[in-house]
Amino acid sequence: MKYRIVSDSTSNIFQLSDVSYTCVPLKIITAEKEYTDAPELDTDGMIEDLKNLHGKSGSSCPNMHEWMEAFGDAELVFAVTITGALSGSYSAAVQAGEAYMEQHEGARVMVLDSKSAGPEMQMLVEKLRECVLAEMTFDQIREVICEYQKHTHLLFSLESLTNLANNGRVNPVVAKAAGFLGIRLVGRASDEGTLEPLHKCRGEKKALEMIRSEMRQNGFQGGKVRIAHCQNPSAAAALEKLILQDFPSSQIEILACAGLCSYYAERGGLLVGYEDPA
């Protein structure tokens, strides 16, 4: 049976070795320009453009046809989307899966709402890759990934929530606190897939310490950690060091946010995916 893993670009993953994989791009839109979240996007240039923008900006998700095209000719498809609570990507992928199965007799499609974004999505995609390479059946993979999702989490540290607030993703009152007199907002992706503020921290160092504390309180004992940053590699490295001090067995990878995650995390933002013991 021919498998394919698909995610939207909020996963920050454009290539995946040893398995059939496709990434469906989201877009960042202004009155003057449209940025497609793909490998060729100049993310730093986009961030600079948006910094100087005086008008409105927004994002758009893939439509049903774009998802169907990404499924290719696979017989078994696993698709992972950004949280359905904040984007229409999940709904479009579900519609695409239903239409695809109607048009391809015997095909099976599972669409997984990550209830999250960025590094937690990355971890779910990586787990799917492990399952496919282990030659599990479709039903076995579905069972494993649903169980694994119960043990993955996302934390974030943001110094600006302007784009999130302007696009209705967070309360404008909460957004005003971030960046004010050096305040950084630390929060998490809730079980419902919304962004939940947890702490207002004075300075980056305090925010990183709070992330480590939240991980520990939520059961982290050393394991997989994925850190995505928006033009802030020094903070990502500092957080890695803090985590390894307490949990030296942690498997940590750091990457730069792609377009959509950069748009919402904004300059200086960190997104942290991690797993608790299964």
Side-chain angles (χ1 to χ4, degrees), residues 47-88:
I47 292 170
E48 190 64 25
D49 290 347
L50 293 172
K51 178 184 175 183
N52 299 317
L53 181 70
H54 298 294
K56 294 182 178 180
S57 64
S59 61
S60 68
C61 66
N63 60 39
M64 182 187 78
H65 300 292
E66 289 171 315
W67 276 106
M68 285 189 69
E69 184 177 353
F71 297 163
D73 60 351
E75 299 165 281
L76 306 173
V77 178
F78 291 92
V80 183
T81 78
I82 182 176
T83 173
L86 300 178
S87 171

CSV table of all heavy atoms in Angstrom, one decimal, residues 47-88:
chain,number,residue,atom,x,y,z
A,47,ILE,N,9.5,39.5,7.2
A,47,ILE,CA,9.4,40.1,8.5
A,47,ILE,C,9.7,41.6,8.4
A,47,ILE,O,9.0,42.4,9.1
A,47,ILE,CB,10.3,39.3,9.5
A,47,ILE,CG1,9.8,37.9,9.7
A,47,ILE,CG2,10.4,40.1,10.8
A,47,ILE,CD1,10.7,37.0,10.5
A,48,GLU,N,10.7,41.9,7.7
A,48,GLU,CA,11.1,43.3,7.5
A,48,GLU,C,10.0,44.1,6.8
A,48,GLU,O,9.7,45.2,7.2
A,48,GLU,CB,12.4,43.4,6.8
A,48,GLU,CG,13.0,44.8,6.8
A,48,GLU,CD,13.4,45.3,8.2
A,48,GLU,OE1,13.7,44.4,9.0
A,48,GLU,OE2,13.5,46.5,8.3
A,49,ASP,N,9.4,43.5,5.8
A,49,ASP,CA,8.3,44.2,5.1
A,49,ASP,C,7.2,44.4,6.0
A,49,ASP,O,6.6,45.5,6.0
A,49,ASP,CB,7.8,43.3,3.9
A,49,ASP,CG,8.8,43.2,2.8
A,49,ASP,OD1,9.8,44.0,2.8
A,49,ASP,OD2,8.6,42.3,1.9
A,50,LEU,N,6.8,43.4,6.8
A,50,LEU,CA,5.7,43.6,7.7
A,50,LEU,C,5.9,44.6,8.8
A,50,LEU,O,5.0,45.3,9.3
A,50,LEU,CB,5.3,42.2,8.3
A,50,LEU,CG,4.8,41.2,7.3
A,50,LEU,CD1,4.6,39.8,8.0
A,50,LEU,CD2,3.4,41.6,6.7
A,51,LYS,N,7.2,44.7,9.2
A,51,LYS,CA,7.6,45.7,10.3
A,51,LYS,C,7.3,47.1,9.8
A,51,LYS,O,6.9,48.0,10.6
A,51,LYS,CB,9.1,45.5,10.6
A,51,LYS,CG,9.6,46.5,11.6
A,51,LYS,CD,11.1,46.3,11.8
A,51,LYS,CE,11.7,47.4,12.8
A,51,LYS,NZ,13.1,47.2,12.9
A,52,ASN,N,7.5,47.3,8.5
A,52,ASN,CA,7.3,48.6,7.9
A,52,ASN,C,5.9,48.8,7.3
A,52,ASN,O,5.6,49.9,6.7
A,52,ASN,CB,8.4,48.9,6.8
A,52,ASN,CG,9.8,48.8,7.4
A,52,ASN,OD1,10.0,49.4,8.5
A,52,ASN,ND2,10.7,48.2,6.7
A,53,LEU,N,5.1,47.8,7.5
A,53,LEU,CA,3.7,47.9,6.9
A,53,LEU,C,2.8,48.8,7.7
A,53,LEU,O,2.8,48.7,9.0
A,53,LEU,CB,3.1,46.5,6.8
A,53,LEU,CG,1.7,46.4,6.2
A,53,LEU,CD1,1.7,46.7,4.7
A,53,LEU,CD2,1.1,45.0,6.5
A,54,HIS,N,2.1,49.7,7.1
A,54,HIS,CA,1.1,50.6,7.8
A,54,HIS,C,-0.3,50.1,7.6
A,54,HIS,O,-1.2,50.6,8.3
A,54,HIS,CB,1.3,52.0,7.2
A,54,HIS,CG,2.7,52.6,7.5
A,54,HIS,ND1,3.2,52.8,8.7
A,54,HIS,CD2,3.6,52.9,6.6
A,54,HIS,CE1,4.4,53.3,8.6
A,54,HIS,NE2,4.7,53.4,7.3
A,55,GLY,N,-0.5,49.2,6.7
A,55,GLY,CA,-1.9,48.7,6.5
A,55,GLY,C,-2.1,47.4,7.2
A,55,GLY,O,-1.3,47.0,8.1
A,56,LYS,N,-3.2,46.7,6.8
A,56,LYS,CA,-3.5,45.4,7.5
A,56,LYS,C,-2.8,44.2,6.8
A,56,LYS,O,-2.4,44.3,5.7
A,56,LYS,CB,-5.0,45.2,7.4
A,56,LYS,CG,-5.9,46.2,8.2
A,56,LYS,CD,-7.4,45.9,8.1
A,56,LYS,CE,-8.2,46.9,8.9
A,56,LYS,NZ,-9.6,46.6,8.8
A,57,SER,N,-2.7,43.2,7.6
A,57,SER,CA,-2.2,41.9,7.1
A,57,SER,C,-3.0,40.8,7.6
A,57,SER,O,-3.7,40.9,8.6
A,57,SER,CB,-0.7,41.8,7.4
A,57,SER,OG,-0.5,41.7,8.8
A,58,GLY,N,-2.9,39.6,7.0
A,58,GLY,CA,-3.6,38.5,7.5
A,58,GLY,C,-3.0,37.2,6.9
A,58,GLY,O,-2.0,37.2,6.2
A,59,SER,N,-3.7,36.1,7.2
A,59,SER,CA,-3.2,34.8,6.7
A,59,SER,C,-4.4,34.0,6.1
A,59,SER,O,-5.5,34.3,6.4
A,59,SER,CB,-2.6,34.0,7.8
A,59,SER,OG,-3.5,33.7,8.8
A,60,SER,N,-4.1,33.1,5.1
A,60,SER,CA,-5.1,32.3,4.5
A,60,SER,C,-4.6,30.9,4.5
A,60,SER,O,-3.4,30.6,4.3
A,60,SER,CB,-5.5,32.8,3.1
A,60,SER,OG,-4.4,32.6,2.2
A,61,CYS,N,-5.6,29.9,4.7
A,61,CYS,CA,-5.2,28.5,4.8
A,61,CYS,C,-5.4,27.9,3.4
A,61,CYS,O,-6.0,28.4,2.5
A,61,CYS,CB,-6.1,27.8,5.8
A,61,CYS,SG,-7.8,27.8,5.4
A,62,PRO,N,-4.8,26.7,3.2
A,62,PRO,CA,-5.0,25.9,2.0
A,62,PRO,C,-6.5,25.6,1.8
A,62,PRO,O,-7.2,25.3,2.8
A,62,PRO,CB,-4.2,24.6,2.2
A,62,PRO,CG,-3.3,24.9,3.3
A,62,PRO,CD,-4.0,25.9,4.2
A,63,ASN,N,-7.0,25.5,0.6
A,63,ASN,CA,-8.4,25.1,0.3
A,63,ASN,C,-8.4,23.6,0.1
A,63,ASN,O,-7.4,22.9,0.1
A,63,ASN,CB,-8.9,25.9,-0.9
A,63,ASN,CG,-8.2,25.7,-2.2
A,63,ASN,OD1,-7.7,24.6,-2.5
A,63,ASN,ND2,-8.0,26.7,-2.9
A,64,MET,N,-9.6,23.1,-0.1
A,64,MET,CA,-9.8,21.7,-0.2
A,64,MET,C,-9.1,21.1,-1.4
A,64,MET,O,-8.5,20.0,-1.3
A,64,MET,CB,-11.3,21.4,-0.4
A,64,MET,CG,-11.7,19.9,-0.5
A,64,MET,SD,-13.4,19.7,-0.9
A,64,MET,CE,-13.4,20.0,-2.7
A,65,HIS,N,-9.1,21.8,-2.5
A,65,HIS,CA,-8.4,21.3,-3.7
A,65,HIS,C,-6.9,21.2,-3.6
A,65,HIS,O,-6.3,20.3,-4.1
A,65,HIS,CB,-8.8,22.2,-4.9
A,65,HIS,CG,-10.2,22.2,-5.2
A,65,HIS,ND1,-11.0,21.2,-5.7
A,65,HIS,CD2,-11.2,23.2,-5.0
A,65,HIS,CE1,-12.2,21.5,-5.8
A,65,HIS,NE2,-12.4,22.7,-5.4
A,66,GLU,N,-6.3,22.2,-2.8
A,66,GLU,CA,-4.9,22.1,-2.6
A,66,GLU,C,-4.5,20.9,-1.7
A,66,GLU,O,-3.5,20.3,-1.9
A,66,GLU,CB,-4.4,23.4,-1.9
A,66,GLU,CG,-4.5,24.6,-2.8
A,66,GLU,CD,-4.2,26.0,-2.1
A,66,GLU,OE1,-4.8,26.2,-1.1
A,66,GLU,OE2,-3.5,26.8,-2.7
A,67,TRP,N,-5.4,20.6,-0.7
A,67,TRP,CA,-5.1,19.4,0.1
A,67,TRP,C,-5.3,18.2,-0.8
A,67,TRP,O,-4.4,17.3,-0.7
A,67,TRP,CB,-6.1,19.4,1.2
A,67,TRP,CG,-5.7,20.2,2.4
A,67,TRP,CD1,-6.3,21.4,2.8
A,67,TRP,CD2,-4.7,19.8,3.4
A,67,TRP,NE1,-5.7,21.8,4.0
A,67,TRP,CE2,-4.7,20.9,4.4
A,67,TRP,CE3,-3.8,18.8,3.5
A,67,TRP,CZ2,-3.8,20.9,5.4
A,67,TRP,CZ3,-3.0,18.8,4.6
A,67,TRP,CH2,-3.0,19.8,5.5
A,68,MET,N,-6.3,18.1,-1.6
A,68,MET,CA,-6.5,16.9,-2.5
A,68,MET,C,-5.3,16.7,-3.4
A,68,MET,O,-4.8,15.6,-3.6
A,68,MET,CB,-7.8,17.0,-3.3
A,68,MET,CG,-9.0,16.8,-2.4
A,68,MET,SD,-10.5,16.7,-3.5
A,68,MET,CE,-10.2,15.1,-4.3
A,69,GLU,N,-4.8,17.8,-3.9
A,69,GLU,CA,-3.6,17.7,-4.8
A,69,GLU,C,-2.4,17.2,-4.1
A,69,GLU,O,-1.6,16.4,-4.6
A,69,GLU,CB,-3.3,19.1,-5.4
A,69,GLU,CG,-2.2,19.0,-6.4
A,69,GLU,CD,-1.9,20.4,-7.0
A,69,GLU,OE1,-2.7,21.3,-6.8
A,69,GLU,OE2,-0.9,20.5,-7.8
A,70,ALA,N,-2.3,17.6,-2.8
A,70,ALA,CA,-1.1,17.1,-2.0
A,70,ALA,C,-1.2,15.6,-1.7
A,70,ALA,O,-0.2,15.0,-1.5
A,70,ALA,CB,-1.1,17.9,-0.7
A,71,PHE,N,-2.4,15.1,-1.7
A,71,PHE,CA,-2.6,13.6,-1.4
A,71,PHE,C,-2.0,12.8,-2.5
A,71,PHE,O,-1.7,11.6,-2.3
A,71,PHE,CB,-4.1,13.3,-1.2
A,71,PHE,CG,-4.7,13.9,0.0
A,71,PHE,CD1,-6.1,14.0,0.1
A,71,PHE,CD2,-3.9,14.5,1.0
A,71,PHE,CE1,-6.7,14.6,1.2
A,71,PHE,CE2,-4.5,15.1,2.1
A,71,PHE,CZ,-5.9,15.1,2.2
A,72,GLY,N,-1.9,13.4,-3.7
A,72,GLY,CA,-1.3,12.7,-4.9
A,72,GLY,C,-2.1,11.5,-5.3
A,72,GLY,O,-3.3,11.6,-5.4
A,73,ASP,N,-1.4,10.4,-5.4
A,73,ASP,CA,-2.1,9.1,-5.8
A,73,ASP,C,-2.0,8.1,-4.7
A,73,ASP,O,-2.0,6.9,-4.9
A,73,ASP,CB,-1.6,8.6,-7.1
A,73,ASP,CG,-0.1,8.3,-7.0
A,73,ASP,OD1,0.6,8.6,-6.0
A,73,ASP,OD2,0.5,7.7,-8.0
A,74,ALA,N,-1.7,8.5,-3.4
A,74,ALA,CA,-1.5,7.6,-2.3
A,74,ALA,C,-2.8,6.9,-2.0
A,74,ALA,O,-3.9,7.4,-2.1
A,74,ALA,CB,-1.0,8.4,-1.1
A,75,GLU,N,-2.6,5.7,-1.5
A,75,GLU,CA,-3.8,4.8,-1.1
A,75,GLU,C,-4.1,5.1,0.4
A,75,GLU,O,-5.2,5.0,0.8
A,75,GLU,CB,-3.4,3.4,-1.3
A,75,GLU,CG,-3.2,3.0,-2.7
A,75,GLU,CD,-2.5,1.6,-2.9
A,75,GLU,OE1,-1.3,1.6,-2.7
A,75,GLU,OE2,-3.2,0.7,-3.2
A,76,LEU,N,-3.1,5.4,1.2
A,76,LEU,CA,-3.2,5.7,2.6
A,76,LEU,C,-2.6,7.0,2.9
A,76,LEU,O,-1.4,7.2,2.7
A,76,LEU,CB,-2.6,4.6,3.4
A,76,LEU,CG,-3.0,3.1,3.1
A,76,LEU,CD1,-2.2,2.1,3.8
A,76,LEU,CD2,-4.5,2.9,3.4
A,77,VAL,N,-3.4,7.9,3.5
A,77,VAL,CA,-2.9,9.3,3.7
A,77,VAL,C,-3.1,9.7,5.2
A,77,VAL,O,-4.2,9.4,5.8
A,77,VAL,CB,-3.7,10.3,2.8
A,77,VAL,CG1,-3.2,11.7,3.1
A,77,VAL,CG2,-3.5,10.0,1.4
A,78,PHE,N,-2.1,10.3,5.7
A,78,PHE,CA,-2.2,10.9,7.1
A,78,PHE,C,-1.8,12.4,6.9
A,78,PHE,O,-0.7,12.7,6.5
A,78,PHE,CB,-1.2,10.2,8.0
A,78,PHE,CG,-1.6,8.8,8.4
A,78,PHE,CD1,-1.0,7.7,7.6
A,78,PHE,CD2,-2.4,8.5,9.4
A,78,PHE,CE1,-1.4,6.4,7.9
A,78,PHE,CE2,-2.8,7.2,9.7
A,78,PHE,CZ,-2.3,6.2,9.0
A,79,ALA,N,-2.8,13.2,7.3
A,79,ALA,CA,-2.6,14.7,7.2
A,79,ALA,C,-2.7,15.3,8.6
A,79,ALA,O,-3.5,15.0,9.4
A,79,ALA,CB,-3.7,15.3,6.3
A,80,VAL,N,-1.8,16.2,8.8
A,80,VAL,CA,-1.7,16.9,10.1
A,80,VAL,C,-1.9,18.4,9.8
A,80,VAL,O,-1.2,19.0,9.0
A,80,VAL,CB,-0.3,16.7,10.8
A,80,VAL,CG1,-0.3,17.4,12.2
A,80,VAL,CG2,-0.1,15.2,10.9
A,81,THR,N,-2.8,19.1,10.6
A,81,THR,CA,-3.1,20.5,10.3
A,81,THR,C,-2.8,21.3,11.6
A,81,THR,O,-2.8,20.8,12.7
A,81,THR,CB,-4.5,20.7,9.9
A,81,THR,OG1,-5.4,20.6,11.1
A,81,THR,CG2,-5.0,19.7,8.9
A,82,ILE,N,-2.7,22.6,11.4
A,82,ILE,CA,-2.7,23.6,12.5
A,82,ILE,C,-4.0,23.5,13.2
A,82,ILE,O,-5.0,23.0,12.6
A,82,ILE,CB,-2.5,25.0,11.9
A,82,ILE,CG1,-2.4,26.0,13.1
A,82,ILE,CG2,-3.5,25.4,10.9
A,82,ILE,CD1,-2.1,27.4,12.6
A,83,THR,N,-4.1,23.9,14.4
A,83,THR,CA,-5.3,23.7,15.2
A,83,THR,C,-6.5,24.3,14.5
A,83,THR,O,-6.5,25.4,14.0
A,83,THR,CB,-5.1,24.5,16.6
A,83,THR,OG1,-6.4,24.5,17.2
A,83,THR,CG2,-4.7,25.9,16.4
A,84,GLY,N,-7.6,23.5,14.5
A,84,GLY,CA,-8.8,23.9,13.9
A,84,GLY,C,-9.5,25.0,14.6
A,84,GLY,O,-10.4,25.6,14.0
A,85,ALA,N,-9.1,25.3,15.8
A,85,ALA,CA,-9.8,26.3,16.6
A,85,ALA,C,-9.3,27.7,16.1
A,85,ALA,O,-10.0,28.7,16.4
A,85,ALA,CB,-9.4,26.2,18.1
A,86,LEU,N,-8.2,27.8,15.4
A,86,LEU,CA,-7.7,29.1,14.9
A,86,LEU,C,-7.5,29.2,13.4
A,86,LEU,O,-7.1,30.2,12.9
A,86,LEU,CB,-6.3,29.3,15.6
A,86,LEU,CG,-6.3,29.4,17.1
A,86,LEU,CD1,-4.9,29.6,17.6
A,86,LEU,CD2,-7.2,30.5,17.7
A,87,SER,N,-7.9,28.1,12.7
A,87,SER,CA,-7.7,28.1,11.2
A,87,SER,C,-8.7,27.2,10.6
A,87,SER,O,-9.1,26.2,11.1
A,87,SER,CB,-6.2,27.7,10.9
A,87,SER,OG,-6.1,27.5,9.5
A,88,GLY,N,-8.9,27.5,9.3
A,88,GLY,CA,-9.8,26.7,8.5
A,88,GLY,C,-9.1,25.5,7.8
A,88,GLY,O,-9.7,24.8,7.1
